[in-house]
């Protein structure tokens, strides 16, 4: 194992505030020497030793446990020391100072995990999952982050990477024998292989998007004609009177946002202007923003009613395929309908009333389902940058397919595949820049 660092870092790894136990963590080449001073002898690897932690003058700071994890079998891959004392901010601070006197320096946020990454203990996606696990706001999000930390996501990326490399080898072999290139590239097996990689990628992208929603929350854009009941629905879901409800058509002109938590799953609802052609300048701006909002949403929630539903479906047609569609037939109290739910094509239809609340529980359940809650095996957490990277891979694969199908341009296709491979490698960190690492680890908490 290559150790990239020569200094020894230390931090309080437990949360601030009074607690039963608090932990100071040390990592680096100086850890064994610090352990020897604190314990009075060399600790046995991976054994809990009861120790009296003393300051430089021999004064007792605290009594607690000392554990030594020699390199490389430790979290960071370096020599690691864990000092467990009483969970008092004052005592832990004294203990940390003592460790620094003995040669350690204060760790930066995320520096332990960064060292674990640099020493090959974790890849980048796994390291990010550590932070996501700590920050998880729901059981589902924590479970997903744990899966990513265990390498579920990284292994899928690796499988895809291998398929991509096999395809590249195939095409580059054709380029290396130019006299046979045309025949080689015309081989339908290459096209099929590319298609197979493309569908493997599409599946991974879907899973990553679900993982992203679990992490970041589900973005829902509420759309529909003026007066359909969009603001009323937002208010009913948010339980406040944030949006302005008005019986005159066209009131909600700006985009209103509301952050909700459904059983710990984060939702961001955006109430948009009614989508209709209008001469009113201000309202037209609202319509433009509504369309923008739709482009960045995970879910388009169309609010309509029994009378207008068929016509309103047109609002959903221009949307990208990956946006989930929900059609809410509102005002069932007025129309004497019963709340129910059914799947029609790619959309979920729900009958409800924003006014009485009938049917809204099914809507909440469906939104939770779309956010990835309750789904079982194979769910992993992901970040926006992972999804963006996978989308780049998809674009490069499409370009490669295009190059092959049209002019049998093997060189171009190979170049696209090379870039696809690079974008994929950014997820796990086989390609990464210092800026990226700084941004990722800088957002960690200290001591992790
Ligand atoms: P928006 O323009 O789509 O935001 O619609 P609003 O939420 O402002 O509602 C327009 C009108 O429809 C208001 O008078 C609401 O009280 C009424 N409304 C909204 N939802 C319901 C519902 O479920 N039942 C009934 N009867 N009226 C509703």
């Amino acid at each position: 194992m290559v150790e990239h660092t020569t200094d020894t870092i230390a931090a309080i790894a437990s949360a601030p505030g009074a607690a039963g136990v608090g932990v100071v963590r040390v990592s680096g080449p100086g850890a064994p020497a610090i352990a020897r001073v604190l314990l009075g002898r060399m600790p046995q690897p991976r054994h809990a030793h009861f120790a009296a932690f003393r300051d430089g003058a021999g004064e007792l700071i605290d009594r607690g446990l000392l554990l030594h994890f020699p390199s490389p079998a430790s979290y960071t891959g370096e020599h690691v020391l864990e000092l467990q004392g009483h969970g008092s901010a004052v005592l832990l601070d004294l203990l940390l100072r003592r460790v620094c006197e003995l040669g350690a320096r204060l760790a930066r946020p995320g520096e332990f995990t960064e060292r674990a990454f640099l020493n090959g203990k974790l890849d980048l996606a796994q390291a990010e999952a550590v932070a996501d696990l700590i920050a998880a706001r729901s059981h589902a999000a924590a479970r997903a982050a744990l899966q990513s930390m265990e390498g579920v996501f990284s292994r899928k990326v690796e499988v895809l990477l291998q398929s991509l490399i096999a395809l590249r080898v195939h095409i580059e072999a054709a380029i290396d024998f130019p006299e046979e290139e045309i025949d080689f590239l015309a081989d339908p097996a290459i096209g099929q292989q590319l298609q197979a990689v493309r569908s493997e990628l599409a599946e991974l992208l879907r899973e990553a998007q679900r993982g992203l929603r679990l992490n970041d929350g589900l973005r829902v854009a509420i759309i529909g004609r003026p007066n359909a009941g969009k603001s009323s629905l937002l208010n009913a879901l948010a339980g406040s009177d944030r949006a302005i409800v008005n019986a005159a058509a066209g009131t909600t002109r700006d985009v209103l946002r509301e952050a909700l938590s459904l059983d710990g799953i984060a939702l961001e609802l955006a109430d948009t202007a009614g989508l209709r052609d209008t001469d009113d300048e201000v309202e037209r701006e609202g319509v433009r923003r509504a369309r923008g909002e739709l482009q960045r949403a995970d879910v388009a929630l169309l609010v309509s009613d029994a009378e207008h539903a068929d016509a309103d479906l047109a609002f959903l047609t221009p949307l990208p395929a990956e946006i989930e569609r929900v059609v809410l037939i509102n005002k069932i109290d007025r129309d004497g309908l019963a709340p129910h739910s059914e799947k029609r094509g790619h959309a979920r239809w729900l009958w409800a009333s924003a006014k009485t609340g009938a049917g809204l529980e099914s809507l909440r359940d469906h939104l939770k389902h779309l956010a990835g809650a309750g789904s079982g095996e194979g769910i992993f957490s992901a970040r926006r940058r992972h999804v963006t990277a996978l989308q780049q891979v998809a674009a490069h694969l499409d370009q490669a397919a295009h190059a092959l199908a049209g002019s049998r341009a093997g060189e171009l296709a190979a170049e696209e595949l090379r870039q696809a491979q690079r974008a994929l490698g950014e997820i796990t960190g086989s390609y990464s820049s210092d800026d990226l690492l700084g941004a990722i680890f800088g957002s960690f908490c200290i001591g992790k």
Side-chain angles (χ1 to χ4, degrees):
M1 172 129 341
V2 186
E3 287 190 13
H4 293 254
T5 43
T6 52
D7 56 351
T8 300
I9 54 171
I12 298 173
S14 44
V21 178
V23 178
V24 171
R25 197 188 229 178
V26 186
S27 178
I34 295 172
R36 187 207 295 259
V37 173
L38 288 177
L39 189 63
R41 60 191 158 91
M42 250 337 259
Q44 256 183 290
R46 292 173 297 281
H47 272 65
H49 294 274
F50 189 56
F53 304 129
R54 293 180 190 279
D55 67 16
E59 184 106 4
L60 187 67
I61 299 173
D62 196 5
R63 284 186 203 278
L65 295 181
L66 180 152
L67 292 105
H68 180 218
F69 304 90
S71 169
S74 71
Y75 179 67
T76 58
E78 304 174 331
H79 293 305
V80 167
L81 204 58
E82 254 189 52
L83 309 172
Q84 304 182 1
H86 293 93
S88 139
V90 180
L91 294 186
L92 288 172
D93 195 48
L94 287 175
L95 191 53
L96 180 62
R97 276 189 216 194
R98 176 69 179 132
V99 165
C100 289
E101 261 171 33
L102 294 172
R105 67 157 171 86
L106 295 179
R108 292 189 307 270
E111 202 172 1
F112 290 92
T113 308
E114 185 175 12
R115 288 186 174 195
F117 167 68
L118 293 173
N119 289 324
K121 286 277 168 180
L122 299 162
D123 66 39
L124 207 47
Q126 288 176 301
E128 290 170 299
V130 173
D132 294 339
L133 180 64
I134 295 171
R137 283 175 292 180
S138 69
H139 206 148
R143 214 167 35 209
L146 195 61
Q147 292 295 309
S148 286
M149 204 183 77
E150 296 277 310
V152 171
F153 182 29
S154 304
R155 280 194 290 277
K156 290 184 184 218
V157 169
E158 184 56 31
V159 168
L160 189 62
L161 198 57
Q162 291 311 322
S163 310
L164 202 58
I165 290 170
L167 181 63
R168 238 185 99 183
V169 167
H170 212 140
I171 290 175
E172 284 180 359
I175 300 170
D176 288 342
F177 298 98
E179 64 282 3
E180 294 164 33
E181 182 178 349
I182 301 298
D183 290 350
F184 216 149
L185 293 174
D187 180 357
I190 287 195
Q192 284 162 10
Q193 206 180 345
L194 204 143
Q195 268 321 308
V197 176
R198 186 67 180 80
S199 28
E200 224 179 296
L201 171 69
E203 176 62 21
L204 189 58
L205 183 56
R206 256 194 306 278
E207 292 175 346
Q209 275 165 331
R210 193 169 45 184
L212 175 65
R213 289 176 203 158
L214 268 178
N215 246 356
D216 277 12
L218 187 72
R219 292 195 292 212
V220 182
I222 306 179
I223 54 170
R225 65 173 66 217
N227 252 357
K230 299 180 296 300
S231 312
S232 307
L233 179 70
L234 180 72
N235 291 342
L237 289 174
S240 74
D241 282 333
R242 211 66 221 259
I244 321 136
V245 179
N246 195 305
T251 327
T252 312
R253 282 173 174 163
D254 210 339
V255 177
L256 283 171
R257 273 174 228 286
E258 193 74 53
L260 286 191
S261 166
L262 293 181
D263 296 344
I265 310 256
L267 287 191
E268 186 195 297
L269 293 170
D271 178 12
T272 66
L275 290 176
R276 64 166 185 182
D277 290 328
T278 169
D279 290 333
D280 180 314
E281 262 309 308
V282 180
E283 199 180 334
R284 211 165 344 155
E285 173 59 18
V287 171
R288 204 184 56 72
R289 288 190 198 171
R291 296 201 192 280
E293 196 61 44
L294 271 176
Q295 294 305 318
R296 59 183 286 275
D298 301 307
V299 180
L301 172 55
L302 171 65
V303 182
S304 185
D305 62 19
E307 186 192 338
H308 300 102
D310 286 343
D312 288 353
L313 283 180
F315 291 141
L316 294 178
T317 28
L319 296 183
E322 64 268 18
I323 296 185
E324 303 280 356
R325 292 142 161 84
V326 179
V327 178
L328 188 87
I329 306 299
N330 192 28
K331 309 195 185 182
I332 57 169
D333 56 311
R334 187 194 64 188
D335 298 337
L337 300 169
H340 67 290
S341 154
E342 64 184 59
K343 195 164 165 35
R344 289 192 187 171
H346 291 297
R348 164 65 53 178
W349 285 53
L350 294 152
W351 281 257
S353 165
K355 193 167 184 173
T356 66
L360 292 187
E361 210 39 51
S362 309
L363 175 62
R364 287 195 183 90
D365 284 347
H366 187 59
L367 290 176
K368 277 193 285 187
H369 163 75
L370 291 179
S375 347
E377 291 300 294
I379 301 282
F380 53 81
S381 67
R383 291 186 165 193
R384 169 92 30 215
R385 77 166 192 96
H386 303 146
V387 169
T388 305
L390 290 173
Q391 283 165 339
Q392 283 166 357
V393 177
H396 289 305
L397 285 183
D398 290 346
Q399 287 298 326
H402 186 73
L404 282 182
S407 45
R408 309 244 175 273
E411 294 276 4
L412 269 182
E415 173 58 20
E416 292 292 345
L417 291 181
R418 201 184 60 76
Q419 293 190 32
Q421 190 181 334
R422 197 183 164 87
L424 202 53
E426 280 174 5
I427 295 178
T428 48
S430 39
Y431 296 100
S432 62
S433 65
D434 286 350
D435 285 353
L436 177 66
L437 296 187
I440 289 173
F441 292 108
S443 66
F444 272 57
C445 45
I446 289 184
K448 195 60 226 174

